[in-house]
Amino acid sequence: MRADDFIDPLTIVHHNGKNTTSNGHWGAASGLPRAGYPLTIMFDGIDFSPLMSSTLGTADDARLRDLLSRCAGRDRAALRALYDLTAPKLLGIALRLLRNRPQAEDVVQEAFLQIWRNAGRFDTARGSAMGWMVAILRYRALDRIESEKRHTGTDELPDVAAELPVSVEDQSALAACLATLPEPWQRSINLAFVDGYSHSEIAELTKTPLGTIKSWILRGLASLKRCLEA
Amino acid sequence: MSQSLESGEGPPPDQRAGEYVLGLLRGMERAQFEAEMARDPALARAVAFWEDRLTPLALAAAPAITPPPSLWSAIDAAINPARPMASRRERLAALWNHAGLWRAVGALAIAAALVLVLIRPFNRPAAPPPSMVALLNQGNKPLFTVSLRENGSAQILPLGHVAPPAGKVWELWAVAKGVKPVPIGFLQPGLTRLPAGDIPASLRKPGVLIAVTVEQPGGSPSGAPTMPIVFDGPLSAVQG
């Protein structure tokens, strides 16, 4: 354990929220069992350049694609180069989702092993190399969230969500499209994608009925898709 | 869970793919979606669309953090067959963490389950036909079949590849109107057999709901479900 890596200014409080919407068939099931989990925020080692824009540009993504194809040929130096370019950002994403440094590091390790094994399956037609790697990292982090039940019993928004920029690069189509959504829809999508909260956790955090959250997100996705394809 | 949206057809594939990429499909729902995606290239494309398009949001919202040197060493050790690993413990840990191993174990388990399912009818004397059956559905998707024999024993078979969330179990309940749900055992991802007597005779009736919740290993300590139903189906009598 690296206790020194943590400060935990926020401790998520135990509370017995009443779900306003029914959960399955158990009329009496008043939400999920809860446990208080400390929310840890890591300052140590954070590089505050908010965007690693060098891996977002198409030219740089071409470099990542090249490294991936070398990884497919079992070139370990290529994996190391890929790691040097992307691991800091992937660790940041994992930490934001998991809020636990050792778990975030584990997940980055799992992700790189999967990237190494599957590099040959990366298909440029499906999108950017960085997007493919971020997706792999996120599914491993989601596995961890599910197995640790990390996100139970929160009743306040983590301040980290307010401190770090959630707006996307100005020039990205996603930023423009997100900006067209009503604020509560944007926020729900962010809480899911960026912070790894489930529908019911978002409902609880925002004190909004579960059905409303589900519908906001679905409608938000439908609008985003139309906007991104326009 | 998301019962409210699962009545009827549910959201269109593009939106379900979006929910999956946002990380909103959990446990069973996620496993089921991934199985569907493996069969449906259009759904896989919809997922790839969202993965790629949402990436800028993930990148913008997280800081870059310098990993400790030990992180690369662990990765390097795992991919470097020539270099012996530092310790047996590390090697075991790497194997344990190896997703491919678990996929292989999972695939073998499915293959074994299929072999059981497919071969059993041919090399066994015909078992007595079930007196009652149920189809356990999540939304409108059937996941398991339940066959109940006259003597009260039951056999439950999966219709696809599904598993409870890691570290959790599926607990089975018999639910009749106006009565507290009765725990009747645990549901395995493969074949489950419940011995005669696990389901009380008073609950072996058409209309009684067989329901499944996700519980801690060992089951709900209170004897009452602590989580919402993830899937269920009513018993119906087999016309003999």
Side-chain angles (χ1 to χ4, degrees):
Chain A
M1 277 306 287
R2 284 165 297 239
D4 292 346
D5 282 358
F6 296 107
I7 53 164
D8 39 4
L10 299 175
T11 298
I12 298 273
V13 191
H14 223 88
H15 87 138
N16 289 311
K18 286 175 223 71
N19 277 9
T20 48
T21 48
S22 106
N23 256 331
H25 299 288
W26 315 122
S30 62
L32 310 174
R34 276 151 229 290
Y37 282 81
L39 175 71
T40 54
I41 299 181
M42 233 275 324
F43 290 103
D44 190 26
I46 290 187
D47 165 3
F48 270 102
S49 64
L51 290 171
M52 198 172 67
S53 46
S54 64
T55 57
L56 280 173
T58 40
D60 296 292
D61 204 70
R63 181 151 173 231
L64 299 184
R65 287 199 298 273
D66 174 55
L67 290 170
L68 276 178
S69 74
R70 284 169 53 198
C71 286
R74 307 290 87 172
D75 175 350
R76 294 204 312 275
L79 188 71
R80 174 71 212 229
L82 204 56
Y83 176 89
D84 288 340
L85 283 170
T86 61
K89 202 70 201 182
L90 295 181
L91 182 55
I93 294 170
L95 188 62
R96 176 104 194 221
L97 285 165
L98 293 160
R99 289 186 225 117
N100 175 303
R101 177 89 188 234
Q103 283 181 19
E105 288 176 8
D106 280 357
V107 157
V108 170
Q109 182 180 340
E110 288 167 18
F112 273 97
L113 294 180
Q114 188 175 343
I115 289 164
W116 173 251
R117 284 193 304 275
N118 294 352
R121 286 201 247 150
F122 168 69
D123 174 8
T124 49
R126 77 186 293 295
S128 71
M130 191 63 186
W132 184 73
M133 294 171 66
V134 167
I136 287 176
L137 184 275
R138 289 190 74 262
Y139 294 123
R140 299 293 67 81
L142 289 168
D143 288 346
R144 194 57 72 105
I145 287 174
E146 286 198 55
S147 66
E148 305 273 339
K149 282 274 173 264
R150 188 260 310 157
H151 284 303
T152 44
T154 55
D155 75 346
E156 52 187 278
L157 278 174
D159 280 354
V160 66
E163 281 166 17
L164 295 170
V166 183
S167 58
V168 206
E169 275 188 311
D170 289 340
Q171 69 267 34
S172 98
L174 179 65
C177 290
L178 273 172
T180 65
L181 302 184
E183 195 280 332
W185 300 13
Q186 289 182 42
R187 189 150 81 126
S188 304
I189 288 174
N190 274 322
L191 284 169
F193 187 71
V194 173
D195 293 299
Y197 286 111
S198 68
H199 280 127
S200 46
E201 287 160 350
I202 297 169
E204 216 172 280
L205 284 164
T206 60
K207 315 234 185 305
T208 308
L210 180 60
T212 308
I213 294 296
K214 288 183 176 175
S215 135
W216 281 350
I217 290 175
L218 285 174
R219 289 159 69 193
L221 286 168
S223 308
L224 268 186
K225 171 122 174 123
R226 277 195 301 275
C227 176
L228 288 167
E229 286 180 333
Chain B
M1 306 279 126
S2 51
Q3 301 281 339
S4 57
L5 283 166
E6 280 164 4
S7 48
E9 288 304 299
D14 276 339
Q15 279 153 272
R16 287 181 59 231
E19 285 188 307
Y20 170 74
V21 174
L22 290 180
L24 289 166
L25 304 186
R26 302 279 169 99
M28 275 287 307
E29 269 187 306
R30 180 176 165 198
Q32 215 184 323
F33 183 89
E34 285 174 348
E36 231 177 291
M37 187 169 67
R39 292 190 301 266
D40 181 353
L43 200 57
R45 274 196 301 277
V47 166
F49 170 87
W50 285 117
E51 284 174 356
D52 193 57
R53 295 312 188 90
L54 290 173
T55 298
L57 181 56
L59 295 173
I65 299 169
T66 311
S70 59
L71 188 53
W72 171 256
S73 313
I75 294 168
D76 193 39
I79 64 166
N80 191 343
R83 214 187 84 190
M85 285 190 201
S87 69
R88 197 180 105 83
R89 205 169 142 255
E90 222 179 279
R91 199 195 321 258
L92 275 177
L95 186 64
W96 187 257
N97 289 330
H98 198 279
L101 168 77
W102 293 113
R103 258 194 292 281
V105 169
L108 277 175
I110 299 166
L114 273 178
V115 165
L116 264 180
V117 170
L118 296 176
I119 287 180
R120 202 164 275 282
F122 300 104
N123 64 3
R124 268 200 150 198
S131 63
M132 242 173 286
V133 293
L135 207 51
L136 305 186
N137 294 299
Q138 186 181 53
N140 47 14
K141 291 188 200 75
L143 298 177
F144 286 88
T145 59
V146 180
S147 327
L148 203 63
R149 310 229 177 279
E150 204 62 66
N151 68 4
S153 69
Q155 178 174 301
I156 306 177
L157 280 171
L159 297 170
H161 172 215
V162 286
K168 295 291 187 308
V169 298
W170 279 328
E171 190 159 11
L172 283 158
W173 307 87
V175 192
K177 268 210 181 79
V179 188
K180 224 174 71 154
V182 176
I184 54 173
F186 295 100
L187 178 65
Q188 309 303 325
L191 171 72
T192 305
R193 292 174 186 285
L194 299 178
D198 279 15
I199 307 177
S202 62
L203 291 173
R204 299 202 296 265
K205 287 196 183 117
V208 167
L209 205 63
I210 304 298
V212 175
T213 64
V214 175
E215 302 287 351
Q216 299 296 331
S220 159
S222 63
T226 66
M227 296 290 273
I229 294 173
V230 286
F231 43 92
D232 60 16
L235 284 171
S236 339
V238 174
Q239 301 307 313

